[in-house]
Amino acid sequence: MSKEPKFAGYEALKWYLWSMACFTDPSFSDQRLELSKPISLVYVIDDIYDVYGTLDQLVLFTDAVKRWELNGTEYLPKFMKSCLSALYETTNAFAEKIYKKHGFNPINALKKSWMQLLNASLEGARWSDSGELPKAKDYLKHATVSTGVHVVLVHSFFLFHQNITKETLAILEDFPDIIYSVAKILRLCDDLEGHKKKNQSGFDGSYLECYMREHQDVSAEDAERHVEELISMEWKLLNRLVLGTDQQQLPSSFTRFCLNAARMVPLMYHYRTNPSLSNLHQHVKSIANVGVAHM
């Protein structure tokens, strides 16, 4: 996919930073590499739905993933077919590795997570194509899913060395609160940062724009404070889910992973005002260069 002009400029290091910050145990090198693959596809698919694809193409793209095959995609542009091939190959290979290690094939759970992402992204594309703003609560419901956070967290769940039971699998596939909270924090932080950066005309996929359209007497500053309050409330819920008595019946290793993912959000989505990400990039690059020099 790196040979596709539309994707050639993407930064793989940015994707790997998520894996590195969430899989903190030094022994999890293979897991970090494996998780970076679906993370990269989430970023690419996000741009396909937001920037590159027409609505007709996106409908075909979504249907192809639903069928999990390339048949019927001859009218799609080459970069979309390349993405579909990478998605199928990567996901199938991931499922096979988990099966060989744990004797359980997670392919159905993985497919379901991708379809949840694509359905939500397609809904966003329809809103953008129509030029009509959805209600703020409707936007947030779909846009939280379209972050792709749940795809990454579902993949990460299967990378831990743990027994997979029908009970935990049912909780995982039902989009549990802990996953939804991490995704909601990311969505609101992303929208808040984008709103502070520029004031776009038309629907730009922002909760603040939907909220301000419904509340015409609210200023931009008040809307931003409202979103900051929503983020704070979601953090309190996430802390209860991870640390308190409200936590889900999921392994503590996975819930800590979710917490680490949420902790990365301010770093990754406040990069215009926070130099830490740039410094972190340079640090990781220097480590990588040292590693190459000693090979």
Side-chain angles (χ1 to χ4, degrees), residues 266-285:
L267 177 65
M268 300 296 281
Y269 286 89
H270 293 178
Y271 51 86
R272 299 181 188 91
T273 56
N274 187 346
S276 299
L277 182 59
S278 176
N279 295 338
L280 185 58
H281 265 146
Q282 294 305 316
H283 180 64
V284 176
K285 283 181 179 178

Side-chain angles (χ1 to χ4, degrees), residues 232-245:
S232 177
M233 291 171 58
E234 205 61 39
W235 261 108
K236 291 175 183 178
L237 173 60
L238 179 61
N239 284 331
R240 289 199 302 269
L241 292 170
V242 176
L243 306 171
T245 57

Side-chain angles (χ1 to χ4, degrees), residues 136 188 191-193 195-196 206-231:
L188 290 171
D191 285 3
L192 180 61
E193 187 71 8
H195 189 263
K196 288 179 177 179
S206 166
Y207 173 81
L208 288 98
E209 187 178 355
C210 297
Y211 180 80
M212 292 178 68
R213 183 68 63 90
E214 288 182 45
H215 304 82
Q216 308 241 341
D217 56 332
V218 172
S219 67
E221 292 76 16
D222 286 339
E224 289 172 2
R225 280 192 289 270
H226 166 67
V227 173
E228 288 169 352
E229 290 175 3
L230 291 179
I231 294 170

Side-chain angles (χ1 to χ4, degrees), residues 104-119:
F104 174 83
N105 190 338
I107 190 64
N108 290 332
L110 301 179
K111 286 181 181 180
K112 183 176 180 179
S113 72
W114 284 116
M115 280 311 307
Q116 289 170 325
L117 169 61
L118 268 56
N119 286 332

Side-chain angles (χ1 to χ4, degrees), residues 122-135:
L122 183 59
E123 185 67 18
R126 287 189 170 121
W127 284 333
S128 181
D129 187 70
S130 70
E132 296 182 6
L133 285 176
K135 296 287 187 180

Side-chain angles (χ1 to χ4, degrees), residues 53-98:
T54 67
L55 186 57
D56 289 341
Q57 290 170 344
L58 296 177
V59 170
L60 289 175
F61 187 94
T62 306
D63 181 65
V65 176
K66 183 178 181 179
R67 293 181 288 105
W68 208 250
E69 58 183 32
L70 284 171
N71 292 335
T73 62
E74 57 271 12
Y75 296 111
L76 289 178
K78 183 174 179 291
F79 72 90
M80 281 191 173
K81 287 187 279 190
S82 296
C83 181
L84 286 172
S85 295
L87 174 60
Y88 299 159
E89 291 172 10
T90 301
T91 307
N92 290 335
F94 183 99
E96 185 177 354
K97 288 179 181 178
I98 299 302

Side-chain angles (χ1 to χ4, degrees), residues 134-277:
K135 296 287 187 180
K137 65 177 183 179
D138 293 332
Y139 165 80
L140 190 56
K141 178 181 177 181
H142 285 85
T144 296
V145 179
S146 69
T147 60
V149 165
H150 69 286
V151 173
V152 177
L153 295 182
V154 167
H155 278 75
S156 70
F157 176 84
F158 294 111
L159 288 171
F160 284 102
H161 301 299
Q162 58 197 12
N163 292 326
I164 301 169
T165 67
K166 291 182 178 179
E167 290 75 18
T168 55
L169 188 60
I171 294 172
L172 187 73
E173 290 189 1
D174 198 32
F175 218 118
D177 290 341
I178 190 169
I179 290 180
Y180 193 83
S181 283
V182 178
K184 190 174 179 180
I185 288 170
L186 188 149
R187 170 51 63 203
L188 290 171
C189 285
D190 187 18
D191 285 3
L192 180 61
E193 187 71 8
H195 189 263
K196 288 179 177 179
K197 179 188 177 187
K198 56 189 175 183
N199 184 16
Q200 295 177 325
S201 60
F203 179 62
D204 64 348
S206 166
Y207 173 81
L208 288 98
E209 187 178 355
C210 297
Y211 180 80
M212 292 178 68
R213 183 68 63 90
E214 288 182 45
H215 304 82
Q216 308 241 341
D217 56 332
V218 172
S219 67
E221 292 76 16
D222 286 339
E224 289 172 2
R225 280 192 289 270
H226 166 67
V227 173
E228 288 169 352
E229 290 175 3
L230 291 179
I231 294 170
S232 177
M233 291 171 58
E234 205 61 39
W235 261 108
K236 291 175 183 178
L237 173 60
L238 179 61
N239 284 331
R240 289 199 302 269
L241 292 170
V242 176
L243 306 171
T245 57
D246 296 342
Q247 58 185 305
Q248 303 278 346
Q249 297 175 348
L250 291 167
S252 59
S253 57
F254 175 71
T255 58
R256 285 196 301 270
F257 184 100
C258 293
L259 182 62
N260 284 338
R263 292 170 65 197
M264 272 292 284
V265 170
L267 177 65
M268 300 296 281
Y269 286 89
H270 293 178
Y271 51 86
R272 299 181 188 91
T273 56
N274 187 346
S276 299
L277 182 59

